[in-house]
Amino acid sequence: MKRILVTGGAGFLGSHLCDRLIEDGNDVLCVDNFFTGSKANIAHLISHPYFELLRHDVTIPLFVETDRIFNLACPASPIHYQHDPVQTTKTSVHGAINMLGLAKRVKARIFQASTSEVYGDPEVHPQHESYWGKVNPIGPRACYDEGKRCAETLFFDYQRQHNLDIKVVRIFNTYGPRMHPNDGRVVSNFIVQALKGQNITIYGNGQQTRSFCYVDDLIDGFVRMMNSGPEVTGPINMGNPGEFTMLDLAEKVLSCVGGKSKLTFHPLPIDDPKQRQPDITLAKEKLGWRPQVTLEDGLKETVNYFRNALNV
């Protein structure tokens, strides 16, 4: 049994990770300030003898004993991270510094949940880990993009300077149960609008592409990465390389939900990437990992979750 700290543990990804870690027989400390996380996501774990919940903001140092740290704390959807962009940057940068300091003190292995947003609006397709990205450092998305890029810098500097045992994963679009219904991400947007009989909002001409990974696949990748040897530091891309346009996704959601929602077209948000697809060669080679859940199967589970959550 390992003592494992999960920051952002009451969020969409964090709560699924806590489930998996408990299932694997670990002692889990879930830390969250509940800005975007929800107690409902981890309510079923509260009575578990090896689960503990702590309300805490990672921008403030934390002094606990732990063997491993998963650092997932940070709002990840544009609506949420642009709500308080200064705090978003602080969460990524100060949060990384505080968790790295904790890992250094207790000699813990530490995992950073980075993002495909470090690639910005990419000029290389699909995106591989050696690509440095094309990011606007002063745009409205920069608080998240550059905050996560700086966090990666800190992780690798702590490794070089303090010989810290680090793991860095770059997450591509992930979806599944427990997504926030109002987080502005395309999968939850389309599903919620379709379930409510509203028109489906398409930005631009709908030809921009994304790759969608089901949450269970991603969490399996996290665990494989954390359990890999010390020579595997990353960054490693994790996502589903299947590429879909926004029109493709809308069609699949409407097919799954039914109803008579129509598509409406709106201007593209500033700095919205036109293409996003992971090269997962490294994940396959180093971790033996690849996604197993098809978009159709994952959407069914996600639609069922929202149908129950929204009571529609």
Side-chain angles (χ1 to χ4, degrees):
M1 177 182 288
K2 288 185 170 58
R3 297 168 299 176
I4 302 180
L5 166 63
V6 181
T7 72
F12 164 46
L13 296 181
S15 62
H16 283 280
L17 178 60
C18 288
D19 281 344
R20 172 65 185 270
L21 296 174
I22 289 287
E23 184 183 311
D24 289 349
N26 297 292
D27 188 354
V28 174
L29 172 59
C30 168
V31 169
D32 208 297
N33 70 348
F34 296 104
F35 174 60
T36 57
S38 166
K39 285 184 179 176
N41 288 342
I42 41 87
H44 61 287
L45 292 174
I46 294 295
S47 61
H48 197 285
Y50 294 115
F51 178 82
E52 188 176 357
L53 174 63
L54 175 65
R55 183 188 289 269
H56 182 84
D57 190 315
V58 294
T59 62
I60 300 165
L62 180 62
F63 300 93
V64 294
E65 299 301 316
T66 187
D67 302 310
R68 291 183 170 182
I69 301 168
F70 282 90
N71 187 38
L72 275 61
C74 190
S77 75
I79 284 177
H80 291 144
Y81 68 62
Q82 291 175 18
H83 172 73
D84 188 344
V86 173
Q87 187 63 25
T88 296
T89 304
K90 284 181 176 179
T91 300
S92 286
V93 178
H94 291 184
I97 290 170
N98 288 333
M99 290 304 109
L100 287 162
L102 173 61
K104 180 186 166 194
R105 283 192 298 275
V106 300
K107 297 182 171 50
R109 173 174 288 185
I110 182 168
F111 173 107
Q112 168 67 3
S114 190
T115 172
S116 61
E117 297 294 333
V118 301
Y119 298 122
D121 190 1
E123 298 161 307
V124 170
H125 192 74
Q127 292 78 58
H128 49 78
E129 292 86 351
S130 59
Y131 175 55
W132 290 356
K134 178 193 171 193
V135 175
N136 175 4
I138 60 171
R141 299 171 71 103
C143 58
Y144 185 68
D145 302 357
E146 296 289 30
K148 289 289 192 176
R149 285 163 68 96
C150 184
E152 285 196 19
T153 300
L154 286 161
F155 266 69
F156 283 93
D157 281 339
Y158 264 79
Q159 184 210 27
R160 285 185 285 260
Q161 190 170 336
H162 303 296
N163 199 31
L164 206 62
D165 188 359
I166 67 166
K167 306 285 181 182
V168 177
V169 161
R170 291 174 177 165
I171 304 167
F172 283 68
N173 290 57
T174 304
Y175 69 100
R178 301 183 198 159
M179 292 184 82
H180 196 292
N182 302 315
D183 68 2
R185 297 191 219 193
V186 66
V187 173
S188 51
N189 266 7
F190 284 6
I191 291 175
V192 169
Q193 288 172 337
L195 285 172
K196 290 183 174 180
Q198 300 169 347
N199 289 332
I200 304 292
T201 304
I202 303 283
Y203 293 104
N205 61 9
Q207 292 303 315
Q208 65 271 38
T209 66
R210 295 293 184 270
S211 302
F212 302 104
C213 185
Y214 189 63
V215 62
D216 290 356
D217 282 335
L218 186 76
I219 297 305
D220 181 61
F222 282 9
V223 172
R224 286 173 185 246
M225 182 65 168
M226 184 60 102
N227 291 337
S228 62
E231 74 284 356
V232 182
T233 60
I236 287 184
N237 290 337
M238 282 193 182
N240 193 318
E243 187 180 11
F244 299 89
T245 68
M246 298 301 94
L247 293 177
D248 291 334
L249 177 65
E251 184 180 308
K252 289 182 183 298
V253 168
L254 287 172
S255 173
C256 189
V257 172
K260 299 179 180 177
S261 297
K262 304 252 187 317
L263 306 184
T264 59
F265 293 83
H266 302 263
L268 269 176
I270 297 172
D271 297 332
D272 190 60
K274 297 173 190 65
Q275 289 181 306
R276 192 56 66 71
Q277 181 189 22
D279 180 329
I280 61 168
T281 303
L282 264 182
K284 290 181 194 171
E285 291 176 353
K286 302 290 186 184
L287 308 173
W289 177 84
R290 69 179 70 211
Q292 304 296 320
V293 181
T294 66
L295 181 57
E296 289 80 2
D297 288 343
L299 283 176
K300 286 176 189 171
E301 294 295 324
T302 311
V303 166
N304 287 339
Y305 167 77
F306 278 114
R307 205 184 291 277
N308 291 326
L310 300 172
N311 198 24
V312 293

